[in-house]
């Protein structure tokens, strides 16, 4: 875990029409848009189950 800088709580995600497969959308992190990536979809081929 030496490379993990920060874990953020789940916040609202703005969807991006036409985004590449695996890109869920954008989150606002300290005023900057940050892409939210579904690693389960990219690595396992199935989307993450949202709780």
């Amino acid at each position: 875990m030496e490379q993990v800088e920060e874990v953020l709580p789940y916040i609202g995600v703005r969807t991006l029409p036409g985004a590449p497969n695996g890109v869920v959308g954008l989150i606002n992190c300290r005023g900057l848009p940050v892409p939210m990536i579904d690693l389960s979809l990219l690595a396992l081929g199935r989307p993450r189950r949202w709780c």
Side-chain angles (χ1 to χ4, degrees):
M1 290 278 208
E2 294 176 13
Q3 296 179 346
V4 175
E5 291 183 26
E6 183 177 12
V7 176
L8 301 171
Y10 181 79
I11 55 176
V13 178
R14 173 176 258 164
T15 58
L16 291 173
N21 196 23
V23 177
V24 176
L26 291 176
I27 63 171
N28 182 343
C29 182
R30 294 182 197 90
L32 298 172
V34 177
M36 185 172 175
I37 309 298
D38 186 345
L39 295 177
S40 178
L41 181 61
L42 295 176
L44 304 175
R46 60 178 185 255
R48 180 194 183 288
R49 295 180 311 171
W50 298 98
C51 300

